[in-house]
Amino acid sequence: MRMLMKIQMDTPASNEAIKQGKLLELIESSLKELQPEAAYFTTENGCRTAFIFFDLAEPSRMPKIAEPFFMQIDAKISYTPVMNPEDLRKGLSAIMS
């Protein structure tokens, strides 16, 4: 299932991770593991925020994906199923049948 993972990073914890050179390592290792369709980085509500779109084939992977962000930068994580235009078209077509 295509998933959006939103990562909101705690500012003091992510500041420290940047100073130690660990934030980039954390993000790069996560991106390598997830092989995302897209990844974007911005700020939201005053926090460093990442939006990562990837395929979650097995829900049991969720803790393995999120725990490094919880443990290393005290992040808030949310997972949201998402659709691309093709998925939406297929879903709406099923309603009309």
Side-chain angles (χ1 to χ4, degrees):
M1 173 177 285
R2 185 174 287 107
M3 192 69 63
L4 163 60
M5 179 172 68
K6 180 170 105 174
I7 305 164
Q8 285 197 297
M9 304 171 207
D10 175 75
T11 299
S14 59
N15 284 347
E16 188 60 32
I18 289 169
K19 289 175 188 174
Q20 295 178 6
K22 300 208 181 266
L23 183 60
L24 188 56
E25 287 177 16
L26 172 61
I27 291 170
E28 287 180 341
S29 67
S30 296
L31 294 177
K32 184 177 179 182
E33 179 180 340
L34 294 173
Q35 295 296 303
E37 182 178 313
Y40 300 99
F41 304 90
T42 188
T43 58
E44 185 176 89
N45 299 322
C47 296
R48 292 179 181 100
T49 304
F51 295 94
I52 301 175
F53 297 84
F54 69 102
D55 181 47
L56 181 65
E58 179 58 48
S60 63
R61 290 184 60 218
M62 292 170 72
K64 184 179 187 302
I65 295 166
E67 285 304 322
F69 291 100
F70 288 137
M71 295 172 67
Q72 294 181 41
I73 56 172
D74 198 23
K76 294 179 183 174
I77 306 287
S78 65
Y79 290 100
T80 306
V82 294
M83 297 181 286
N84 65 17
E86 183 180 316
D87 297 329
L88 180 61
R89 193 174 302 109
K90 183 177 177 181
L92 292 175
S93 294
I95 294 170
M96 303 307 288
S97 309

Coordinates of all heavy atoms in Angstrom, one line a residue:
M1 N 0.8 -1.2 0.0 CA 0.0 0.0 0.0 C 0.9 1.2 0.0 O 1.9 1.3 0.7 CB -0.9 0.0 1.2 CG -1.7 1.3 1.4 SD -2.8 1.2 2.8 CE -4.1 0.2 2.1
R2 N 0.5 2.2 -0.8 CA 1.3 3.5 -0.9 C 1.0 4.2 0.4 O -0.2 4.4 0.8 CB 0.8 4.3 -2.1 CG 1.7 5.5 -2.3 CD 1.3 6.3 -3.6 NE 1.9 5.6 -4.7 CZ 1.2 4.9 -5.6 NH1 -0.1 4.8 -5.5 NH2 1.8 4.2 -6.6
M3 N 2.0 4.7 1.0 CA 1.9 5.3 2.3 C 2.6 6.6 2.4 O 3.7 6.8 1.8 CB 2.5 4.4 3.4 CG 2.2 4.7 4.8 SD 0.4 4.5 5.3 CE 0.2 2.7 5.0
L4 N 2.0 7.6 3.1 CA 2.7 8.8 3.4 C 3.1 8.7 4.9 O 2.3 8.6 5.8 CB 1.8 10.1 3.2 CG 2.2 11.4 3.9 CD1 3.6 11.8 3.4 CD2 1.2 12.4 3.7
M5 N 4.4 8.9 5.1 CA 4.9 8.9 6.5 C 5.3 10.4 6.7 O 6.2 10.9 6.0 CB 6.1 8.0 6.7 CG 6.6 8.1 8.2 SD 7.9 6.9 8.6 CE 9.2 7.4 7.6
K6 N 4.7 11.0 7.7 CA 5.1 12.4 8.1 C 5.9 12.3 9.4 O 5.5 11.7 10.4 CB 3.9 13.2 8.4 CG 4.2 14.7 8.7 CD 2.9 15.5 8.7 CE 2.5 15.8 10.1 NZ 1.4 16.8 10.2
I7 N 7.1 12.9 9.3 CA 8.0 12.9 10.5 C 8.2 14.3 10.9 O 8.7 15.2 10.2 CB 9.4 12.3 10.0 CG1 9.2 10.9 9.4 CG2 10.3 12.3 11.2 CD1 10.4 10.5 8.7
Q8 N 7.7 14.6 12.1 CA 7.9 16.0 12.7 C 9.0 15.8 13.8 O 8.8 15.1 14.8 CB 6.7 16.5 13.3 CG 5.7 17.0 12.2 CD 4.7 18.0 12.8 OE1 3.9 17.6 13.6 NE2 4.7 19.2 12.3
M9 N 10.1 16.5 13.6 CA 11.3 16.4 14.4 C 11.3 17.3 15.6 O 11.0 18.5 15.4 CB 12.6 16.6 13.6 CG 12.6 15.7 12.4 SD 13.9 16.1 11.3 CE 13.3 15.5 9.7
D10 N 11.6 16.8 16.7 CA 11.8 17.7 17.9 C 13.0 18.6 17.7 O 14.0 18.2 17.3 CB 12.0 16.8 19.1 CG 12.3 17.6 20.4 OD1 11.4 18.2 20.9 OD2 13.5 17.7 20.8
T11 N 12.8 19.9 17.9 CA 13.8 20.9 17.5 C 15.1 20.7 18.4 O 16.2 20.5 17.8 CB 13.3 22.3 17.6 OG1 12.3 22.5 16.7 CG2 14.4 23.3 17.3
P12 N 15.0 20.6 19.7 CA 16.3 20.4 20.4 C 17.0 19.1 20.1 O 18.2 19.0 19.9 CB 15.9 20.4 21.9 CG 14.6 21.3 21.9 CD 13.9 20.9 20.6
A13 N 16.2 18.0 20.0 CA 16.8 16.7 19.7 C 17.4 16.7 18.2 O 18.5 16.1 18.0 CB 15.8 15.6 19.8
S14 N 16.7 17.3 17.3 CA 17.3 17.3 15.9 C 18.4 18.3 15.8 O 19.4 18.1 15.0 CB 16.2 17.6 14.9 OG 15.5 18.9 15.1
N15 N 18.4 19.4 16.6 CA 19.6 20.3 16.6 C 20.8 19.5 17.1 O 21.9 19.6 16.5 CB 19.4 21.4 17.6 CG 18.5 22.5 17.0 OD1 18.2 22.5 15.9 ND2 18.0 23.4 17.9
E16 N 20.7 18.7 18.1 CA 21.8 17.9 18.6 C 22.2 16.9 17.6 O 23.4 16.7 17.4 CB 21.4 17.3 20.0 CG 22.6 16.6 20.7 CD 23.7 17.5 21.0 OE1 23.5 18.7 21.3 OE2 24.9 17.1 21.1
A17 N 21.3 16.3 17.0 CA 21.6 15.3 15.9 C 22.4 15.9 14.8 O 23.3 15.3 14.2 CB 20.3 14.6 15.4
I18 N 22.0 17.1 14.4 CA 22.7 17.8 13.4 C 24.2 18.1 13.8 O 25.1 17.9 13.1 CB 22.0 19.1 13.0 CG1 20.7 18.8 12.2 CG2 22.9 20.1 12.1 CD1 19.8 20.0 12.0
K19 N 24.3 18.6 15.0 CA 25.7 18.9 15.6 C 26.6 17.7 15.6 O 27.8 17.8 15.4 CB 25.6 19.5 17.0 CG 25.0 20.9 17.0 CD 24.8 21.4 18.4 CE 24.0 22.7 18.5 NZ 23.7 23.1 19.9
Q20 N 26.0 16.5 15.9 CA 26.7 15.3 16.0 C 26.9 14.6 14.6 O 27.5 13.5 14.5 CB 26.1 14.3 16.9 CG 26.1 14.8 18.4 CD 25.4 13.9 19.3 OE1 25.0 12.8 18.9 NE2 25.2 14.3 20.6
G21 N 26.2 15.2 13.6 CA 26.3 14.6 12.2 C 25.4 13.4 12.1 O 25.6 12.6 11.2
K22 N 24.4 13.2 13.0 CA 23.6 12.0 12.9 C 22.3 12.1 12.2 O 21.7 11.2 11.8 CB 23.4 11.5 14.4 CG 24.7 11.2 15.1 CD 24.5 10.1 16.1 CE 25.8 9.8 16.8 NZ 26.5 8.7 16.3
L23 N 21.8 13.4 12.1 CA 20.5 13.5 11.4 C 20.6 13.1 9.9 O 19.7 12.4 9.5 CB 20.0 15.0 11.5 CG 18.6 15.2 10.9 CD1 17.6 14.4 11.6 CD2 18.2 16.7 11.0
L24 N 21.6 13.6 9.2 CA 21.7 13.2 7.8 C 21.9 11.7 7.7 O 21.3 11.0 6.8 CB 22.9 13.9 7.2 CG 23.0 13.8 5.7 CD1 21.7 14.2 5.0 CD2 24.2 14.6 5.2
E25 N 22.6 11.1 8.6 CA 22.8 9.6 8.6 C 21.5 8.9 8.8 O 21.2 7.9 8.1 CB 23.8 9.1 9.7 CG 25.2 9.5 9.5 CD 26.1 9.1 10.7 OE1 25.6 8.3 11.5 OE2 27.2 9.6 10.7
L26 N 20.7 9.4 9.7 CA 19.4 8.8 10.0 C 18.5 8.9 8.8 O 17.8 7.9 8.4 CB 18.7 9.5 11.2 CG 17.3 9.1 11.5 CD1 17.1 7.6 11.8 CD2 16.8 10.0 12.7
I27 N 18.4 10.0 8.2 CA 17.5 10.2 7.0 C 18.0 9.4 5.8 O 17.2 8.7 5.2 CB 17.4 11.7 6.7 CG1 16.7 12.5 7.8 CG2 16.8 11.9 5.3 CD1 16.7 13.9 7.7
E28 N 19.3 9.4 5.6 CA 19.8 8.7 4.4 C 19.6 7.2 4.6 O 19.3 6.5 3.6 CB 21.3 9.0 4.2 CG 21.5 10.4 3.6 CD 22.9 10.8 3.3 OE1 23.8 10.2 3.9 OE2 23.1 11.7 2.5
S29 N 19.9 6.6 5.8 CA 19.7 5.2 6.0 C 18.2 4.8 5.9 O 17.9 3.8 5.3 CB 20.2 4.7 7.3 OG 19.5 5.3 8.4
S30 N 17.3 5.7 6.3 CA 15.9 5.4 6.2 C 15.4 5.5 4.7 O 14.7 4.6 4.3 CB 15.1 6.4 7.0 OG 15.3 6.3 8.4
L31 N 15.9 6.4 4.0 CA 15.6 6.5 2.6 C 16.1 5.3 1.8 O 15.5 4.8 0.9 CB 16.1 7.8 2.0 CG 15.5 9.1 2.5 CD1 16.1 10.3 1.8 CD2 14.0 9.1 2.3
K32 N 17.3 4.9 2.1 CA 17.9 3.7 1.5 C 17.0 2.5 1.7 O 16.8 1.7 0.8 CB 19.3 3.4 2.0 CG 20.0 2.3 1.3 CD 21.4 2.2 1.8 CE 22.1 1.0 1.1 NZ 23.5 0.8 1.5
E33 N 16.6 2.3 3.0 CA 15.7 1.2 3.3 C 14.3 1.2 2.7 O 13.8 0.3 2.2 CB 15.5 1.1 4.8 CG 14.7 -0.1 5.2 CD 14.5 -0.2 6.7 OE1 15.3 0.3 7.5 OE2 13.5 -0.9 7.1
L34 N 13.7 2.4 2.7 CA 12.4 2.6 2.2 C 12.2 2.7 0.7 O 11.2 2.4 0.1 CB 11.7 3.8 2.8 CG 11.5 3.8 4.3 CD1 11.0 5.2 4.8 CD2 10.5 2.7 4.7
Q35 N 13.3 3.1 0.0 CA 13.3 3.3 -1.5 C 12.0 4.1 -1.8 O 11.1 3.6 -2.6 CB 13.3 2.0 -2.2 CG 14.6 1.2 -2.0 CD 15.8 1.9 -2.6 OE1 15.8 2.2 -3.8 NE2 16.8 2.2 -1.8
P36 N 11.8 5.3 -1.3 CA 10.6 6.0 -1.5 C 10.3 6.5 -2.9 O 11.3 6.7 -3.7 CB 10.7 7.3 -0.6 CG 12.2 7.5 -0.5 CD 12.8 6.1 -0.6
E37 N 9.0 6.6 -3.2 CA 8.6 7.2 -4.5 C 9.0 8.7 -4.5 O 9.4 9.2 -5.6 CB 7.1 7.0 -4.6 CG 6.4 7.5 -5.8 CD 5.0 7.2 -5.8 OE1 4.5 6.1 -5.5 OE2 4.2 8.2 -6.2
A38 N 8.9 9.3 -3.4 CA 9.3 10.7 -3.2 C 9.5 11.0 -1.8 O 9.0 10.4 -0.9 CB 8.2 11.6 -3.7
A39 N 10.4 12.0 -1.5 CA 10.7 12.5 -0.2 C 10.9 14.0 -0.2 O 11.6 14.5 -1.1 CB 11.9 11.8 0.4
Y40 N 10.2 14.7 0.7 CA 10.2 16.2 0.7 C 10.5 16.6 2.2 O 10.0 16.0 3.1 CB 8.9 16.8 0.3 CG 8.6 16.4 -1.2 CD1 7.7 15.4 -1.4 CD2 9.2 17.0 -2.2 CE1 7.4 15.0 -2.7 CE2 8.9 16.7 -3.5 CZ 8.0 15.6 -3.8 OH 7.7 15.3 -5.1
F41 N 11.2 17.7 2.3 CA 11.6 18.2 3.6 C 11.3 19.7 3.7 O 11.6 20.4 2.8 CB 13.2 18.0 3.8 CG 13.5 16.5 3.6 CD1 13.9 16.0 2.4 CD2 13.5 15.7 4.7 CE1 14.2 14.7 2.2 CE2 13.8 14.3 4.5 CZ 14.1 13.8 3.3
T42 N 10.6 20.1 4.8 CA 10.2 21.4 5.0 C 10.0 21.7 6.5 O 10.5 21.0 7.3 CB 8.8 21.6 4.2 OG1 8.5 23.0 4.2 CG2 7.7 20.8 4.8
T43 N 9.3 22.8 6.8 CA 8.9 23.0 8.2 C 7.4 23.0 8.2 O 6.7 23.4 7.3 CB 9.4 24.4 8.7 OG1 8.9 25.4 7.8 CG2 10.9 24.4 8.7
E44 N 6.8 22.6 9.3 CA 5.4 22.6 9.6 C 5.2 22.8 11.1 O 5.8 22.1 11.9 CB 4.7 21.3 9.2 CG 3.2 21.3 9.3 CD 2.6 20.1 8.8 OE1 2.4 19.1 9.6 OE2 2.2 20.1 7.6
N45 N 4.4 23.8 11.4 CA 4.1 24.1 12.8 C 5.4 24.4 13.6 O 5.6 24.0 14.7 CB 3.3 23.0 13.5 CG 2.0 22.8 12.9 OD1 1.3 23.8 12.5 ND2 1.5 21.6 12.7
G46 N 6.4 25.0 12.9 CA 7.6 25.3 13.6 C 8.6 24.2 13.8 O 9.6 24.3 14.5
C47 N 8.3 23.0 13.2 CA 9.2 21.9 13.3 C 9.8 21.4 12.0 O 9.1 21.5 10.9 CB 8.4 20.7 13.9 SG 7.8 20.9 15.5
R48 N 11.0 21.0 12.0 CA 11.5 20.3 10.8 C 10.6 19.1 10.5 O 10.3 18.3 11.4 CB 13.0 19.8 11.1 CG 14.0 20.8 11.3 CD 15.4 20.2 11.6 NE 16.3 21.3 11.8 CZ 16.8 21.7 13.0 NH1 16.3 21.1 14.1 NH2 17.6 22.6 13.1
T49 N 10.2 19.0 9.2 CA 9.3 18.0 8.9 C 9.7 17.3 7.6 O 10.1 18.0 6.6 CB 7.9 18.6 8.7 OG1 7.5 19.3 9.9 CG2 6.8 17.6 8.4
A50 N 9.5 16.0 7.5 CA 9.7 15.2 6.3 C 8.4 14.6 5.9 O 7.6 14.1 6.8 CB 10.8 14.2 6.6
F51 N 8.2 14.5 4.6 CA 7.1 13.8 4.0 C 7.6 12.7 3.1 O 8.3 13.1 2.1 CB 6.1 14.7 3.2 CG 5.5 15.8 4.1 CD1 6.0 17.0 4.2 CD2 4.3 15.5 4.7 CE1 5.4 18.0 5.0 CE2 3.6 16.4 5.5 CZ 4.2 17.7 5.7
I52 N 7.5 11.5 3.4 CA 8.1 10.4 2.6 C 7.0 9.5 2.1 O 6.1 9.0 2.9 CB 9.1 9.6 3.5 CG1 10.2 10.5 4.0 CG2 9.7 8.4 2.7 CD1 11.1 9.9 5.0
F53 N 6.9 9.3 0.8 CA 5.9 8.5 0.1 C 6.6 7.2 -0.3 O 7.6 7.2 -1.1 CB 5.4 9.2 -1.1 CG 4.7 10.5 -0.8 CD1 5.4 11.7 -0.6 CD2 3.3 10.5 -0.7 CE1 4.7 12.9 -0.3 CE2 2.6 11.7 -0.3 CZ 3.3 12.9 -0.2
F54 N 6.1 6.1 0.2 CA 6.7 4.8 -0.1 C 5.7 3.7 0.0 O 4.5 3.9 0.4 CB 7.8 4.5 1.0 CG 7.3 4.2 2.4 CD1 7.2 3.0 2.9 CD2 6.9 5.3 3.2 CE1 6.8 2.7 4.1 CE2 6.4 5.1 4.4 CZ 6.3 3.8 4.9
D55 N 6.1 2.5 -0.5 CA 5.2 1.3 -0.5 C 5.4 0.6 0.8 O 6.5 0.1 1.1 CB 5.5 0.4 -1.7 CG 4.6 -0.8 -1.8 OD1 3.4 -0.6 -1.6 OD2 5.1 -1.9 -1.9
L56 N 4.3 0.4 1.5 CA 4.4 -0.4 2.8 C 3.7 -1.7 2.5 O 2.5 -1.9 2.5 CB 3.6 0.3 3.9 CG 3.6 -0.4 5.3 CD1 5.0 -0.5 5.8 CD2 2.7 0.3 6.2
A57 N 4.6 -2.7 2.1 CA 4.1 -4.0 1.8 C 3.6 -4.8 3.0 O 2.6 -5.6 2.8 CB 5.2 -4.8 1.0
E58 N 4.1 -4.5 4.1 CA 3.8 -5.3 5.3 C 3.7 -4.3 6.5 O 4.7 -3.7 6.9 CB 4.9 -6.3 5.6 CG 4.7 -7.2 6.8 CD 3.4 -8.0 6.8 OE1 3.1 -8.6 5.7 OE2 2.7 -7.9 7.8
P59 N 2.5 -4.2 7.1 CA 2.3 -3.3 8.2 C 3.2 -3.6 9.4 O 3.5 -2.7 10.2 CB 0.8 -3.5 8.6 CG 0.2 -4.0 7.4 CD 1.2 -4.8 6.7
S60 N 3.7 -4.8 9.6 CA 4.6 -5.1 10.7 C 5.9 -4.4 10.6 O 6.7 -4.3 11.5 CB 4.8 -6.6 10.8 OG 5.5 -7.1 9.6
R61 N 6.2 -3.8 9.4 CA 7.4 -3.0 9.3 C 7.4 -1.6 9.9 O 8.4 -0.9 10.1 CB 7.8 -2.8 7.8 CG 8.2 -4.0 7.1 CD 8.6 -3.8 5.6 NE 9.7 -2.8 5.5 CZ 9.8 -1.9 4.6 NH1 8.9 -1.8 3.6 NH2 10.8 -1.1 4.5
M62 N 6.1 -1.2 10.3 CA 6.0 0.2 10.8 C 6.9 0.5 12.0 O 7.5 1.5 12.0 CB 4.5 0.4 11.1 CG 3.7 0.5 9.8 SD 1.9 0.5 10.1 CE 1.7 2.2 10.8
P63 N 6.9 -0.4 13.0 CA 7.8 -0.1 14.1 C 9.3 0.1 13.7 O 10.0 1.0 14.2 CB 7.6 -1.2 15.1 CG 6.3 -1.8 14.8 CD 6.1 -1.6 13.3
K64 N 9.8 -0.8 12.9 CA 11.2 -0.8 12.4 C 11.5 0.5 11.7 O 12.6 1.1 11.8 CB 11.5 -2.0 11.5 CG 12.9 -2.1 11.1 CD 13.2 -3.3 10.3 CE 14.6 -3.6 10.0 NZ 15.3 -2.5 9.3
I65 N 10.5 1.0 11.0 CA 10.7 2.2 10.2 C 10.7 3.4 11.1 O 11.5 4.3 11.0 CB 9.6 2.4 9.1 CG1 9.7 1.3 8.1 CG2 9.6 3.8 8.5 CD1 8.5 1.1 7.2
A66 N 9.8 3.5 12.1 CA 9.5 4.7 12.9 C 10.5 4.7 14.1 O 10.9 5.9 14.5 CB 8.1 4.7 13.4
E67 N 10.8 3.6 14.7 CA 11.6 3.7 16.0 C 12.9 4.5 15.9 O 13.2 5.2 16.9 CB 11.8 2.3 16.5 CG 10.6 1.6 17.1 CD 10.0 2.4 18.3 OE1 10.7 3.0 19.1 OE2 8.7 2.4 18.3
P68 N 13.7 4.4 14.9 CA 14.9 5.2 14.9 C 14.6 6.7 15.0 O 15.3 7.4 15.7 CB 15.5 4.9 13.5 CG 15.0 3.5 13.2 CD 13.6 3.5 13.7
F69 N 13.5 7.2 14.4 CA 13.1 8.6 14.5 C 12.6 8.9 15.9 O 12.9 10.0 16.5 CB 12.1 8.9 13.5 CG 12.6 8.9 12.1 CD1 12.3 7.8 11.2 CD2 13.3 9.9 11.6 CE1 12.8 7.8 9.9 CE2 13.8 9.9 10.3 CZ 13.6 8.8 9.5
F70 N 11.9 8.0 16.5 CA 11.4 8.2 17.9 C 12.6 8.3 18.9 O 12.8 9.2 19.7 CB 10.5 7.1 18.4 CG 9.1 7.1 17.8 CD1 8.6 5.8 17.4 CD2 8.4 8.2 17.6 CE1 7.3 5.8 16.8 CE2 7.1 8.2 17.1 CZ 6.6 7.0 16.7
M71 N 13.5 7.3 18.7 CA 14.6 7.1 19.7 C 15.7 8.2 19.5 O 16.3 8.6 20.5 CB 15.2 5.7 19.6 CG 14.1 4.7 20.0 SD 14.7 3.0 19.7 CE 16.0 2.9 20.8
Q72 N 16.0 8.5 18.2 CA 17.2 9.4 18.0 C 16.8 10.9 18.0 O 17.7 11.7 18.3 CB 17.8 9.0 16.7 CG 18.5 7.7 16.8 CD 19.2 7.3 15.5 OE1 19.8 8.1 14.9 NE2 19.0 6.0 15.0
I73 N 15.6 11.3 17.6 CA 15.3 12.7 17.5 C 13.9 13.0 18.1 O 13.4 14.1 17.8 CB 15.4 13.2 16.0 CG1 14.5 12.4 15.1 CG2 16.8 13.2 15.5 CD1 14.4 13.0 13.7
D74 N 13.4 12.1 18.9 CA 12.1 12.4 19.6 C 11.0 12.9 18.6 O 10.3 13.9 18.9 CB 12.4 13.4 20.7 CG 11.3 13.4 21.7 OD1 10.5 12.4 21.9 OD2 11.1 14.5 22.4
A75 N 10.9 12.3 17.5 CA 10.0 12.7 16.4 C 8.6 12.3 16.7 O 8.3 11.3 17.4 CB 10.5 12.2 15.1
K76 N 7.7 13.0 16.1 CA 6.3 12.5 16.0 C 6.1 12.0 14.6 O 6.5 12.6 13.6 CB 5.3 13.7 16.2 CG 5.4 14.3 17.6 CD 4.5 15.5 17.7 CE 4.6 16.1 19.1 NZ 3.9 17.3 19.3
I77 N 5.5 10.8 14.5 CA 5.3 10.1 13.3 C 3.8 9.8 13.0 O 3.1 9.4 13.9 CB 6.0 8.7 13.3 CG1 7.5 8.8 13.7 CG2 5.8 7.9 12.0 CD1 8.4 9.4 12.7
S78 N 3.4 10.0 11.8 CA 2.1 9.6 11.4 C 2.2 8.9 10.0 O 3.1 9.2 9.2 CB 1.1 10.8 11.3 OG 1.5 11.7 10.2
Y79 N 1.4 7.9 9.9 CA 1.3 7.1 8.6 C -0.1 7.3 8.0 O -1.1 7.2 8.8 CB 1.4 5.6 8.9 CG 2.8 5.1 9.3 CD1 3.1 4.9 10.6 CD2 3.7 4.9 8.3 CE1 4.3 4.4 11.0 CE2 5.0 4.4 8.7 CZ 5.3 4.2 10.0 OH 6.5 3.7 10.3
T80 N -0.2 7.6 6.7 CA -1.5 7.9 6.1 C -1.5 7.2 4.7 O -0.6 7.4 3.9 CB -1.7 9.4 5.8 OG1 -1.6 10.1 7.1 CG2 -3.1 9.7 5.2
P81 N -2.5 6.3 4.5 CA -2.6 5.7 3.2 C -2.9 6.8 2.2 O -3.7 7.6 2.4 CB -3.7 4.7 3.3 CG -4.1 4.6 4.7 CD -3.5 5.8 5.4
V82 N -2.3 6.7 1.0 CA -2.5 7.7 -0.1 C -2.7 7.0 -1.4 O -2.3 5.8 -1.6 CB -1.4 8.7 -0.1 CG1 -1.3 9.6 1.1 CG2 0.0 8.1 -0.4
M83 N -3.3 7.7 -2.4 CA -3.5 7.2 -3.7 C -2.9 8.2 -4.7 O -2.8 9.4 -4.5 CB -5.0 7.2 -4.0 CG -5.8 6.3 -3.2 SD -7.6 6.3 -3.6 CE -8.1 7.8 -3.0
N84 N -2.5 7.6 -5.8 CA -2.1 8.4 -7.0 C -3.3 8.5 -7.9 O -4.4 8.0 -7.6 CB -0.8 7.8 -7.7 CG -1.1 6.5 -8.3 OD1 -2.2 6.1 -8.5 ND2 0.0 5.8 -8.6
P85 N -3.2 9.3 -9.0 CA -4.4 9.5 -9.8 C -5.0 8.2 -10.4 O -6.2 8.0 -10.5 CB -3.9 10.4 -10.9 CG -2.8 11.2 -10.3 CD -2.1 10.2 -9.4
E86 N -4.1 7.2 -10.7 CA -4.5 5.9 -11.2 C -5.4 5.2 -10.1 O -6.4 4.6 -10.4 CB -3.4 5.1 -11.7 CG -3.7 3.8 -12.3 CD -2.5 3.0 -12.7 OE1 -1.6 3.6 -13.3 OE2 -2.5 1.8 -12.4
D87 N -4.9 5.2 -8.9 CA -5.6 4.6 -7.8 C -7.0 5.2 -7.6 O -8.0 4.5 -7.4 CB -4.8 4.7 -6.5 CG -3.5 4.0 -6.5 OD1 -3.3 3.0 -7.2 OD2 -2.6 4.5 -5.8
L88 N -7.0 6.5 -7.6 CA -8.3 7.2 -7.5 C -9.2 6.9 -8.6 O -10.4 6.6 -8.3 CB -8.0 8.8 -7.4 CG -9.3 9.6 -7.3 CD1 -10.0 9.3 -6.0 CD2 -8.9 11.1 -7.4
R89 N -8.8 6.9 -9.8 CA -9.6 6.5 -11.0 C -10.2 5.1 -10.8 O -11.4 4.9 -11.0 CB -8.8 6.6 -12.2 CG -9.5 6.6 -13.5 CD -8.6 6.8 -14.7 NE -7.9 8.0 -14.7 CZ -6.6 8.1 -14.5 NH1 -5.8 7.1 -14.4 NH2 -6.0 9.3 -14.5
K90 N -9.4 4.2 -10.4 CA -9.8 2.8 -10.2 C -10.9 2.8 -9.0 O -11.9 2.1 -9.1 CB -8.6 1.9 -9.8 CG -9.0 0.5 -9.6 CD -7.7 -0.3 -9.4 CE -8.0 -1.8 -9.1 NZ -6.8 -2.6 -8.8
G91 N -10.6 3.5 -7.9 CA -11.6 3.5 -6.8 C -12.9 4.1 -7.2 O -13.9 3.6 -6.8
L92 N -12.8 5.2 -7.9 CA -14.1 5.9 -8.3 C -14.9 5.0 -9.3 O -16.1 5.0 -9.3 CB -13.8 7.3 -8.8 CG -13.3 8.3 -7.8 CD1 -12.9 9.6 -8.4 CD2 -14.3 8.5 -6.7
S93 N -14.1 4.4 -10.2 CA -14.8 3.5 -11.2 C -15.5 2.4 -10.5 O -16.6 1.9 -10.9 CB -13.8 2.9 -12.2 OG -13.2 3.9 -12.9
A94 N -15.0 1.9 -9.4 CA -15.6 0.8 -8.7 C -16.9 1.2 -8.0 O -17.9 0.4 -7.9 CB -14.7 0.2 -7.6
I95 N -17.0 2.5 -7.7 CA -18.3 3.0 -7.1 C -19.3 3.1 -8.2 O -20.5 2.8 -7.9 CB -18.0 4.4 -6.5 CG1 -17.1 4.3 -5.3 CG2 -19.3 5.1 -6.1 CD1 -16.6 5.7 -4.8
M96 N -18.9 3.4 -9.4 CA -19.9 3.7 -10.5 C -20.4 2.4 -11.0 O -21.4 2.4 -11.8 CB -19.3 4.5 -11.6 CG -18.7 5.9 -11.1 SD -19.9 6.9 -10.2 CE -21.0 7.3 -11.5
S97 N -19.8 1.2 -10.8 CA -20.2 -0.1 -11.4 C -21.4 -0.6 -10.7 O -21.7 -0.5 -9.6 CB -19.1 -1.1 -11.2 OG -17.9 -0.6 -11.6

